[in-house]
Amino acid sequence: MTSAIRRLMLPVPALLIGLLALSYSALLYQESRSVEQHGVLAPVQAIQNTKKIKRSGDRITFRADITFIGQDGRSLTAKAAISDNALDGFGAGHRIQVRYLADRPDVIRIVGDEDEGSSWLLVIVGCAALVYGSHGILRALQRRK
């Protein structure tokens, strides 16, 4: 009995991690598509609290507090990813717009930087964990017979 439990100690959490990673990736993808299809355009008023979050080749991405004017005229602030090019452009006086969901103004994308739908790394890790967990559980069940 204890050896059967021991054989499942890694596959079961791996299976759960895989399911969670793939579910979260699907949620990010769906959220990104919703903003793309139903998002409202709004001008950016201010960008504050920028923190570097990743570097991909020549491109650097920051996480920042983006303040914009909603369609009802209120000033709204949300955290969003912004590229170094868009950040430099805003600092130089270029106009930047965001696309946001009217019913959820905390979900925004910078127009022109809308590539933050789903992380391929998250999908790959989720698939690998799912395969590992499934394989481990199947092997444990076969040994029981």
Side-chain angles (χ1 to χ4, degrees), residues 61-133:
T61 305
F62 296 89
R63 173 82 49 199
D65 293 333
I66 311 290
T67 302
F68 58 98
I69 303 298
Q71 68 187 105
D72 59 357
R74 291 185 306 146
S75 180
L76 304 166
T77 301
K79 288 195 178 300
I82 183 168
S83 71
D84 56 342
N85 292 338
L87 191 58
D88 291 343
F90 184 78
H94 296 144
R95 265 187 66 166
I96 294 180
Q97 290 186 316
V98 295
R99 193 176 291 278
Y100 74 100
L101 295 176
D103 57 337
R104 290 182 53 206
D106 59 319
V107 179
I108 68 171
R109 299 290 185 268
I110 305 293
V111 173
D113 280 353
E114 287 123 336
D115 62 344
E116 195 190 323
S118 178
S119 168
W120 282 107
L121 180 62
L122 190 61
V123 171
I124 291 168
V125 167
C127 287
L130 199 62
V131 168
Y132 174 80

Side-chain angles (χ1 to χ4, degrees), residues 11-95:
V12 170
L15 186 67
L16 292 174
I17 288 169
L19 288 172
L20 287 173
L22 291 174
S23 298
Y24 185 66
S25 181
L27 177 72
L28 289 176
Y29 179 79
Q30 175 59 31
E31 193 174 77
S32 184
R33 294 300 141 242
S34 292
V35 171
E36 189 177 292
Q37 293 171 355
H38 307 292
V40 178
L41 284 173
V44 171
Q45 299 297 311
I47 299 175
Q48 300 168 332
N49 301 328
T50 57
K51 293 180 180 125
K52 184 175 168 183
I53 56 172
K54 70 179 176 178
R55 182 181 190 104
S56 177
D58 294 352
R59 185 177 167 155
I60 300 172
T61 305
F62 296 89
R63 173 82 49 199
D65 293 333
I66 311 290
T67 302
F68 58 98
I69 303 298
Q71 68 187 105
D72 59 357
R74 291 185 306 146
S75 180
L76 304 166
T77 301
K79 288 195 178 300
I82 183 168
S83 71
D84 56 342
N85 292 338
L87 191 58
D88 291 343
F90 184 78
H94 296 144
R95 265 187 66 166

